[in-house]
Amino acid sequence: MYEALFTKHEHKKVLPELECAEHGVVMRFAPNPSGPLHIGHARAAVLNDAYVKQYGGRYILRIEDTDPKRVDPEAYEMVKEDIAWLGLGITETVTQSDRLALYYDLCGQLIEKGGAYVCTCDNEHFKELKQSKTACPCRDQPVEKNRELWKKMLDHTFKEGEATVRIKTDLHHPDPAMRDFPAFRILDSPPHPKVKAHVYPLMNFSVVADDHLLGVTHVIRGKDHIANTRRQRYIYDHFGWKVPVYRHYGRMGIEGVVLSTSKMRLGINEGIYTGWDDIRLGTLRALARRGISPDAVKNAVLAIGIGDTDISFSWDNLFAENKKIVDPLANRYFFVPDPIIVTITGAPHRTAHAMLHPGDAARGTRTLVFKESVALPNGDITHDTAMVRLKDLFNLKISCDGNTPSFSYAGDSLAEARSAKAHIIQWLPAQDLVRCTLLTPEGEITGACEPLVTKELGKVVQFERVGFARIDAVDMDGVRAYFTHK
RNA sequence: GCUGCUAUAGUGUAGUCCGGCCAAUCAUGCGGGCCUUUCACGCCCGCGACUGGGGUUCGAAUCCCCAUAGCAGCACCA
């Protein structure tokens, strides 16, 4: 019944159909554990998740940690936390560093098939050859030679930079990016946090191996992977494997936020940001801390869809989604920013009962006991305000003797306040207020709030006339709340 | 430079494949009104777009060409 009041009858936008999906799909979300997930990851994660739910099937979380230079040991845990927060329907998890033997084995097979070779050329030199569409000397080595060199890679006879496995493609391919791209490299340092290894597959190889081995049928990823998709096709063809269905969506930016993990890390190290959940960052944990609900993120990302146009994601749209979710849930309280304490003359002692939620009387009220002094938002008391109404209490007349305003009781009539066009403002009993800091991306607003707010730790409330906020901390200093949105 | 992808209102999005029903959808935003003891929610009204130029056609947002702009790739990153 109460739910119905808030149920909006919107047409849910449905994602476009995927081909060959009638009998279910196997999809994956494959982050690199270099930091926590951000909005950009959420797009891939949520889109894939939505399709798995739409068609039924398996949803694999694959941790792509084959570059020890880009692995943050803490990220394994952070990624899982973020996925749990988003509420994705992951059915299984694999970690690529556990699977190196698999990749080595497949590489051996590919070498036997003549689909790959071990290249010992200098990197710069190879680059030049590639640009001029000429084969490097290693390309035509017999299989036996490649087999032998591959063994030397594995037994660490070769050191970092001395040899690399390349996939045979088409040296005359018009796109230089396609020509004999690398599949394995040697790295002596840094050590991998999870396995002892020095030969690492490059993304295009391990991705194909796993997509095939895990039975992935559909891949939805950013269009920065279009070239990789084309490269990967060569590997599929060498093995004679079936290629999954691909979809590439466009680049996404979000107004005023860095989404690059490395830049965020830099900012944190330099002390510009307080941590991964600094509310100025686009990480999921930052959004969570601000009071954005995971469903809002999901809905916003789903609304964007899988278009291949580059887009600039707008906070407005995210906030609107979040408000739909949070408005029916959030209890209402008074927060008085920049308070001034005033004494009201001629007023009877009263107790105000304000509703915790205007749409749900069953939730009850909070009580505010008025004695004679109240805290008011300084910004609402200007020289030309003659009257205001203290919400759920009474009217207040303001008269000015020069520069010193005085406040007096002006009756209980709501109708009078209306006809006087008095603003209905929030207030707090002076004897009963809790210090409260509201943190916004632009800075801090200090003020005071109702004592009951301390019971809302971790929840999103609405400070009437101010906006939604998530209660982040409650301690001796009072309440710290993060501003969510209006 | 080479290769490729994209281009609908401030933002996001539908329509584009299979030209006409599109003087272009929906959401968000903005403006106005109503409701209301919040500048929240809800309701109503309004604003606002097919990148430009050619071509094909009786007819083009939709097909073709050119231009422009944006983006991506050309790594022993993912």
Side-chain angles (χ1 to χ4, degrees):
Chain A
M1 175 79 174
Y2 165 66
E3 283 297 326
L5 287 174
F6 292 99
T7 306
K8 282 216 225 161
H9 299 283
E10 268 177 45
H11 282 282
K12 272 267 161 61
K13 211 202 115 193
V14 189
L15 291 170
E17 297 284 334
L18 293 176
E19 57 268 38
C20 310
E22 310 77 36
H23 305 299
V25 295
V26 178
M27 303 185 72
R28 39 80 162 180
F29 172 53
N32 168 252
S34 57
L37 265 28
H38 55 67
I39 281 256
H41 293 110
R43 185 173 187 195
V46 168
L47 250 16
N48 281 287
D49 185 63
Y51 274 119
V52 174
K53 283 179 177 139
Q54 183 172 326
Y55 292 109
R58 292 152 55 212
Y59 191 22
I60 300 158
L61 168 64
R62 187 170 70 215
I63 307 289
E64 303 204 330
D65 58 347
T66 52
D67 179 6
K69 289 177 183 168
R70 296 198 5 164
V71 170
D72 172 359
E74 289 175 21
Y76 291 91
E77 207 44 48
M78 290 196 279
V79 166
K80 281 180 188 162
E81 287 164 9
D82 292 341
I83 284 171
W85 181 77
L86 269 178
L88 302 180
I90 298 288
T91 57
E92 60 206 272
T93 301
V94 298
T95 303
Q96 289 193 316
S97 57
D98 294 338
R99 301 163 65 81
L100 294 180
L102 250 33
Y103 310 133
Y104 296 158
D105 181 50
L106 284 170
C107 180
Q109 290 181 34
L110 192 55
I111 285 171
E112 295 303 321
K113 284 174 187 285
Y117 59 97
V118 177
C119 173
T120 51
C121 292
D122 170 71
N123 192 22
E124 287 304 314
H125 181 53
F126 184 86
K127 225 179 251 180
E128 287 166 25
L129 293 174
K130 177 171 71 179
Q131 288 302 335
S132 60
K133 303 183 180 179
T134 42
C136 86
C138 317
R139 194 177 205 262
D140 297 320
Q141 287 158 174
V143 169
E144 302 77 61
K145 173 88 173 177
N146 283 322
R147 190 188 299 146
E148 181 193 318
L149 293 174
W150 171 235
K151 202 163 283 168
K152 282 188 178 174
M153 281 179 72
L154 290 177
D155 69 18
H156 218 162
T157 306
F158 284 125
K159 304 296 182 210
E160 183 166 333
E162 291 178 356
T164 146
V165 176
R166 294 189 176 280
I167 304 295
K168 272 192 199 168
T169 66
D170 175 6
L171 286 177
H172 294 279
H173 196 288
D175 185 350
M178 293 303 124
R179 300 172 197 157
D180 283 21
F181 62 86
F184 282 84
R185 63 169 168 174
I186 297 170
L187 234 43
D188 294 328
S189 66
H192 195 286
K194 297 198 68 153
V195 290
K196 193 170 174 308
H198 59 276
V199 176
Y200 294 95
L202 275 320
M203 177 257 200
N204 281 309
F205 192 89
S206 49
V207 161
V208 171
D210 280 333
D211 282 347
H212 174 74
L213 261 17
L214 300 166
V216 169
T217 59
H218 296 72
V219 176
I220 294 177
R221 48 180 3 182
K223 74 178 187 184
D224 43 321
H225 285 294
I226 288 177
N228 289 322
T229 297
R230 276 196 273 268
R231 282 192 274 234
Q232 288 168 20
R233 196 171 298 266
Y234 283 99
I235 303 178
Y236 280 104
D237 289 347
H238 282 310
F239 279 114
W241 292 340
K242 188 168 183 282
V243 179
V245 175
Y246 291 92
R247 259 319 128 78
H248 301 98
Y249 55 77
R251 265 180 70 85
M252 183 176 89
I254 181 157
E255 303 161 327
V257 168
V258 247
L259 285 188
S260 144
T261 303
S262 54
K263 278 185 190 155
M264 288 193 272
R265 167 169 276 119
L266 204 66
I268 292 169
N269 291 341
E270 287 174 354
I272 298 167
Y273 304 122
T274 57
W276 290 113
D277 60 356
D278 188 298
I279 53 165
R280 291 164 295 177
L281 297 178
T283 59
L284 296 184
R285 49 198 57 211
L287 296 180
R289 193 169 199 194
R290 289 178 68 150
I292 303 293
S293 95
D295 285 331
V297 174
K298 276 193 197 168
N299 292 343
V301 161
L302 250 19
I304 285 166
I306 57 170
D308 37 19
T309 318
D310 300 330
I311 59 160
S312 156
F313 185 62
S314 162
W315 288 106
D316 280 344
N317 295 312
L318 214 211
F319 291 163
E321 291 296 343
N322 197 57
K323 203 188 272 183
K324 285 176 199 160
I325 292 163
V326 123
D327 185 80
L329 300 176
N331 283 331
R332 313 287 137 126
Y333 294 99
F334 289 157
F335 164 74
V336 175
D338 190 15
I340 49 165
I341 306 291
V342 306
T343 301
I344 298 164
T345 56
H349 286 196
R350 280 276 168 75
T351 299
H353 300 278
M355 288 208 282
L356 277 167
H357 196 288
D360 183 12
R363 254 190 253 190
T365 55
R366 48 211 151 99
T367 52
L368 300 162
V369 178
F370 167 75
K371 299 239 171 78
E372 61 228 336
S373 296
V374 294
L376 299 180
N378 199 8
D380 281 303
I381 312 299
T382 62
H383 285 293
D384 37 68
T385 35
M387 189 199 267
V388 293
R389 180 175 177 84
L390 305 188
K391 187 164 182 280
D392 301 303
L393 194 66
F394 50 59
N395 303 337
L396 191 60
K397 194 178 149 202
I398 306 168
S399 35
C400 257
D401 289 342
N403 261 339
T404 50
S406 58
F407 301 84
S408 57
Y409 175 66
D412 296 335
S413 167
L414 181 60
E416 273 175 36
R418 284 252 163 79
S419 57
K421 290 191 177 135
H423 288 155
I424 299 171
I425 66 170
Q426 76 277 33
W427 58 280
L428 291 166
Q431 77 282 3
D432 208 11
L433 34 81
V434 171
R435 235 187 323 191
C436 180
T437 308
L438 186 60
L439 297 105
T440 77
E442 289 76 38
E444 297 188 7
I445 300 169
T446 53
C449 67
E450 298 176 38
L452 231 43
V453 173
T454 58
K455 299 243 163 68
E456 298 272 4
L457 182 62
K459 295 201 180 119
V460 174
V461 301
Q462 189 203 44
F463 288 140
E464 298 195 44
R465 305 209 315 138
V466 175
F468 294 90
R470 186 178 151 279
I471 307 307
D472 190 68
V474 176
D475 56 29
M476 267 112 71
D477 293 332
V479 170
R480 280 167 64 82
Y482 280 104
F483 182 71
T484 311
H485 47 66
K486 278 293 282 184

